Amino acid sequence: MSDSMKEVVETLDPVSRHLIPPDIALGTLVPLKTILELRDNLCLGLAYVTRAPNKVTNDVVNIARALAGDDAAKNLPHLRRCVKPADIPPHLKTQFMNEGNGRQVHLGKSNWLYIVLGPENEMSYDELVKGLSTIDDIRDDIFVRTIPVPLLAPTSQVQANMWSQQFWQTVYRKNNPLGPHPSTISRTEAVMSRDASIWMNLAHQVAKKSQRAGYGEPIGAVIVKRTIPGKIDSGKQPAPKEGTGESEVSNGEGTGPEGDNCNSQARAAGEVKGTTRDATGGPNGVISDAKQSDVSSLEAPAQDSTKPDSEAQETTEIVAIAADARWHQMERTGLTGNPMAHAALRAISMVAQKLVRAEDRPKSTQKVMDFEAFQDKPLLSDEQLVFDGDHPCPDGYLCHELELYMTHEPCTMCAMAILHSRMGRIVFRHRMPLTGGMSSEDRGYDACAASGTCGGGSCGGGQGLGLHWRKELNWTLLGWEWESDSIEKLTVDPHLHA
Ligand SMILES: [Zn+2]
């Protein structure tokens, strides 16, 4: 066990310390991609461009802004507003320099700039020409063209560079309109990676114990509560944070006319500050910044993250452990067993039972059903030990801000239950491309060929039903895969719903 791991173990409560395996196999966290990131996110539209001498670009920009309105998105904030003739993409250069007074504009000493005005469908061509004709220097040769441009902000510097070549100079602002903010992910990951392997090893251990006992498939789940000193506790919305770490990054080539009169107006009007926040909101602003700050509430205050805390220590406690128990009191035919006894559902239910226990309600002794469909009472001694402990903070909603570690990607049913429980973070090891409900993209077309359980791979792959960050669901859960070569694989049939 590494020194940093030992440090973490020393902070654990006696029950956790008793449960974890003596040797911890290490693994690494890999963030899950969101469904929007996996879709073709190159959403193109047409935008008007014009050209004008340096000294009147401000007037031009004002006309464009008046037509597009104040809606930042309509002003295409990820595109550089003004670009020198030498810095427009080569194919546009070839085209534009042969039109109108192009030769003169593209002369080495020219002080003309190309200006992107806004999306074609947001402004009327006639109004635009009318507006531009009020400017003396361009009145005689009004140049308005449409070019294809990406309508959404790029999600990486590489993508920004590519678009700068293909469409128009593009600015990457180090945020991600298609998922959680990259800095939220990296900070959360830095905290979790210290002990994620411990909880994953524990999930593996309980999975194997359940399989050996004949209760279920080798699938396990561990739910953990992390307490960070100085952090507002769960259930309470932390104050929204300003867009930390969001800074404009130039695409590294031809700096453009920064500092001249072209950009002063547009940028002073809040492009740098305002639009980064807007862009974070996704195409329809559904994933709002406020929700992102909710997600990022795991992060310790700045001073804690920079120095290893010596006084107040971060602590983690196990809230529930559960293995798959689909075969408990069930006849072993097919793959399904009892779907209510999936590991994630059992674990969440155990958390719920702890909350109910904390409320100290009078006990109901009435047995509702002959068959215990839910199988949410502990079956293994490890499950019982954790179950007997109190919930560390019984005030919050079900699994709000808790962390779930699973050996396998949960099925769509469990993924939805995890979402409803308001789990804060999920880590799983084995992908289930045919049946999984988390990883958005993987349909695993060849996953079943080897198993032979569906007539030689005739099922045609999974449904691609991953829920991770589907914006329709106001998704705020952060997700990782845990990759490890040093712990035994828990192989299950690829058609099985974990
Ligand atoms: Zn499930």
Side-chain angles (χ1 to χ4, degrees):
M1 203 180 284
S2 69
D3 285 350
S4 67
M5 192 75 81
K6 274 184 200 146
E7 259 174 50
V8 175
V9 171
E10 275 163 22
T11 66
L12 296 180
D13 58 286
V15 172
S16 302
R17 245 190 281 186
H18 169 77
L19 289 175
I20 60 171
D23 295 311
I24 303 290
L26 298 179
T28 45
L29 295 174
V30 181
L32 290 183
K33 286 204 185 305
T34 72
I35 194 150
L36 285 168
E37 287 173 299
L38 293 161
R39 276 184 196 152
D40 182 12
N41 65 11
L42 180 56
C43 176
L44 289 180
L46 291 174
Y48 286 121
V49 290
T50 187
R51 59 192 179 199
N54 204 327
K55 60 180 175 182
V56 297
T57 47
N58 248 358
D59 301 333
V60 173
V61 169
N62 285 341
I63 285 161
R65 287 182 72 84
L67 287 174
D70 283 334
D71 186 343
K74 293 177 185 167
N75 285 292
L76 303 171
H78 54 286
L79 299 182
R80 214 170 273 285
R81 177 70 92 170
C82 301
V83 178
K84 287 177 184 167
D87 294 333
I88 65 173
H91 65 281
L92 293 180
K93 215 182 290 177
T94 316
Q95 182 193 334
F96 291 168
M97 76 193 282
N98 292 313
E99 295 175 1
N101 59 346
R103 294 280 162 192
Q104 187 193 331
V105 169
H106 283 261
L107 270 180
K109 282 184 179 169
S110 150
N111 60 358
W112 283 58
L113 295 171
Y114 280 93
I115 304 151
V116 65
L117 298 165
E120 185 198 36
N121 56 4
E122 296 294 339
M123 43 185 68
S124 124
Y125 178 83
D126 294 338
E127 299 261 321
L128 194 56
V129 171
K130 203 169 122 195
L132 294 177
S133 64
T134 61
I135 301 172
D136 289 342
D137 296 73
I138 53 174
R139 180 180 300 142
D140 298 334
D141 184 20
I142 291 179
F143 176 94
V144 177
R145 300 288 182 274
T146 53
I147 58 165
V149 293
L151 294 176
L152 297 176
T155 56
S156 71
Q157 187 60 59
V158 173
Q159 193 171 42
N161 292 348
M162 217 164 70
W163 290 357
S164 294
Q165 284 297 311
Q166 291 173 341
F167 303 105
W168 193 259
Q169 295 249 323
T170 306
V171 179
Y172 171 55
R173 292 181 202 274
K174 273 194 183 162
N175 63 4
N176 182 1
L178 308 176
H181 196 287
S183 67
T184 302
I185 296 180
S186 58
R187 274 180 296 204
T188 309
E189 194 175 297
V191 172
M192 289 172 68
S193 58
R194 292 175 56 210
D195 55 20
S197 294
I198 296 178
W199 313 123
M200 286 305 296
N201 277 253
L202 193 52
H204 281 64
Q205 182 176 271
V206 77
K208 284 163 73 174
K209 284 185 181 177
S210 184
Q211 186 188 32
R212 274 202 295 271
Y215 296 146
E217 298 290 332
I219 300 166
V222 174
I223 296 179
V224 164
K225 157 81 181 155
R226 187 180 301 275
T227 309
I228 295 175
K231 177 193 161 295
I232 305 160
D233 214 331
S234 69
K236 298 176 189 103
Q237 187 88 347
K241 292 189 320 197
E242 286 306 316
T244 43
E246 289 176 7
S247 56
E248 184 179 314
V249 177
S250 113
N251 57 17
E253 42 178 340
T255 53
E258 299 293 312
D260 67 27
N261 58 2
C262 167
N263 60 10
S264 56
Q265 196 82 11
R267 296 199 187 280
E271 277 204 351
V272 171
K273 243 189 172 173
T275 54
T276 49
R277 293 176 67 84
D278 286 349
T280 316
N284 302 317
V286 175
I287 301 162
S288 79
D289 224 18
K291 290 188 198 85
Q292 291 225 345
S293 72
D294 183 32
V295 169
S296 61
S297 61
L298 169 83
E299 297 155 23
Q303 65 268 27
D304 287 345
S305 60
T306 47
K307 70 174 167 83
D309 39 3
S310 47
E311 313 88 34
Q313 269 189 321
E314 173 199 316
T315 54
T316 38
E317 279 173 85
I318 309 171
V319 192
I321 290 186
D324 183 271
R326 71 185 64 201
W327 303 122
H328 187 236
Q329 298 172 345
M330 287 287 287
E331 200 191 334
R332 238 184 148 96
T333 51
L335 290 168
T336 311
N338 177 4
M340 293 293 106
H342 288 186
L345 289 193
R346 293 187 71 227
I348 291 171
S349 180
M350 287 178 193
V351 176
Q353 291 174 72
K354 283 192 172 191
L355 292 173
V356 171
R357 215 158 58 197
E359 284 178 7
D360 212 15
R361 283 191 216 153
K363 273 207 176 75
S364 143
T365 47
Q366 202 184 350
K367 203 173 177 187
V368 189
M369 288 176 288
D370 284 339
F371 173 66
E372 287 287 340
F374 290 103
Q375 295 295 342
D376 54 1
K377 294 285 175 285
L379 294 170
L380 296 161
S381 61
D382 287 7
E383 293 175 351
Q384 185 74 51
L385 258 179
V386 174
F387 187 75
D388 289 343
D390 287 333
H391 193 295
C393 61
D395 308 326
Y397 179 81
L398 197 46
C399 296
H400 183 247
E401 283 293 292
L402 300 185
E403 292 173 11
L404 170 64
Y405 294 84
M406 288 192 67
T407 53
H408 294 71
E409 178 183 1
C411 69
T412 39
M413 173 187 73
C414 290
M416 203 61 210
I418 292 162
L419 167 68
H420 279 311
S421 79
R422 297 199 200 150
M423 195 72 69
R425 293 160 284 283
I426 180 172
V427 180
F428 64 82
R429 183 184 182 200
H430 297 295
R431 280 201 183 208
M432 298 297 293
L434 298 181
T435 61
M438 232 8 110
S439 297
S440 310
E441 83 286 20
D442 198 344
R443 295 192 56 196
Y445 290 103
D446 52 355
C448 60
S451 82
T453 45
C454 66
S458 59
C459 73
Q463 301 295 307
L465 289 176
L467 299 179
H468 187 53
W469 265 79
R470 261 181 204 270
K471 67 181 165 66
E472 306 91 300
L473 299 172
N474 273 345
W475 200 243
T476 57
L477 182 78
L478 299 181
W480 286 265
E481 264 181 287
W482 183 77
E483 289 185 354
S484 175
D485 295 329
S486 46
I487 189 166
E488 180 196 346
K489 284 194 167 63
L490 297 174
T491 310
V492 294
D493 188 292
H495 297 85
L496 182 133
H497 292 257

